[in-house]
Amino acid sequence: QTATALEEIRQLLDLPNTPSYIECYDISHTAGSEPVAAMVVFENGQPLRSAYRKFKIKSAIGGDDYGAMAEVLTRRMEEYLANRDSGVGFGRKPDLILLDGGSGQVAAVAPVLQQFSIDIPLYGLVKDDRHRTRALITAEGEEIGIQANQAVFSLIGRIQEETHRFAITYHRKLRSKRLKSSALDEIPGIGPK
């Protein structure tokens, strides 16, 4: 079933290889505060939790999802180039990158891959009114429907839900930590007590 879905994704997107190593990214924040990104990895159609990564957004501020996505993928590609000889972790090149967002996110990230001269198929996830991925989208805005293909729809949906869950969980953890902190904690000699 999963191998079939991966092969059908390859055909649907006209990819050179079956996408056995897929990375998916999502940005999470509350009205622009505590912006974070999550990277989820699926290998052979299964979550590879040891490869998941969390990012605190450093430069993109105020709910700039496009800037945040570009920042995260820049950091990811820098790590790839620094570690590619290892072929593991950030040294592994994904067969496919998915971004939780539309053509705007893809258009923001495509120049990053070009800047590093790294050729990786890149698509955004287009949601329906029930927040399920109904299509993949290119930087040029070309939509590729997936709802008619149950295996692809199911696998892409699982990847999207897992990425969203991971991003939200990390964001809530940071937000909760910030809400529980006090200015008094910052004073030397005072501390939590």
Side-chain angles (χ1 to χ4, degrees):
Q1 174 82 9
T2 303
T4 303
L6 292 171
E7 177 54 24
E8 289 178 5
I9 289 171
R10 186 193 70 73
Q11 292 174 14
L12 191 66
L13 302 179
D14 196 23
L15 303 177
N17 304 303
T18 302
S20 60
Y21 197 79
I22 300 172
E23 291 180 0
C24 186
Y25 295 82
D26 192 10
I27 304 294
S28 183
H29 56 80
T30 303
S33 72
E34 305 292 340
V36 299
M39 175 187 115
V40 160
V41 176
F42 270 59
E43 185 174 36
N44 298 320
Q46 300 301 321
L48 182 63
R49 290 185 175 84
S50 62
Y52 287 17
R53 294 293 179 267
K54 304 169 189 165
F55 302 84
K56 283 186 182 177
I57 303 302
K58 297 174 181 175
S59 61
I61 53 167
D64 176 9
D65 287 1
Y66 300 154
M69 202 64 92
E71 175 191 324
V72 169
L73 269 295
T74 298
R75 289 161 60 186
R76 167 65 178 100
M77 291 306 125
E78 287 170 347
E79 288 293 325
Y80 166 67
L81 291 177
N83 298 289
R84 65 179 157 189
D85 292 340
S86 73
V88 295
F90 275 150
R92 188 163 177 191
K93 182 178 163 185
D95 300 313
L96 175 64
I97 293 177
L98 300 174
L99 307 177
D100 197 332
S103 59
Q105 275 87 345
V106 182
V109 169
V112 172
L113 298 181
Q114 290 165 358
Q115 171 194 332
F116 288 103
S117 300
I118 299 174
D119 186 25
I120 302 171
L122 175 70
Y123 293 87
L125 305 176
V126 182
K127 316 282 195 338
D128 63 16
D129 53 4
R130 290 167 44 195
H131 202 70
R132 293 178 312 180
T133 301
R134 65 172 177 76
L136 300 177
I137 194 163
T138 66
E140 297 76 40
E142 180 195 347
E143 279 195 24
I144 299 153
I146 62 170
Q147 286 177 306
N149 187 320
Q150 190 54 48
V152 171
F153 181 69
S154 177
L155 178 58
I156 296 288
R158 279 181 49 223
I159 293 170
Q160 181 251 319
E161 287 169 15
E162 178 65 359
T163 309
H164 185 68
R165 179 201 64 77
F166 191 58
I168 287 280
T169 302
Y170 180 46
H171 168 67
R172 286 181 179 155
K173 181 180 172 186
L174 287 183
R175 191 180 67 193
S176 171
K177 194 172 170 182
R178 181 180 55 85
L179 292 174
K180 289 178 184 171
S181 70
S182 162
L184 296 175
D185 293 337
E186 306 302 317
I187 301 171
I190 302 284
K193 292 181 182 177

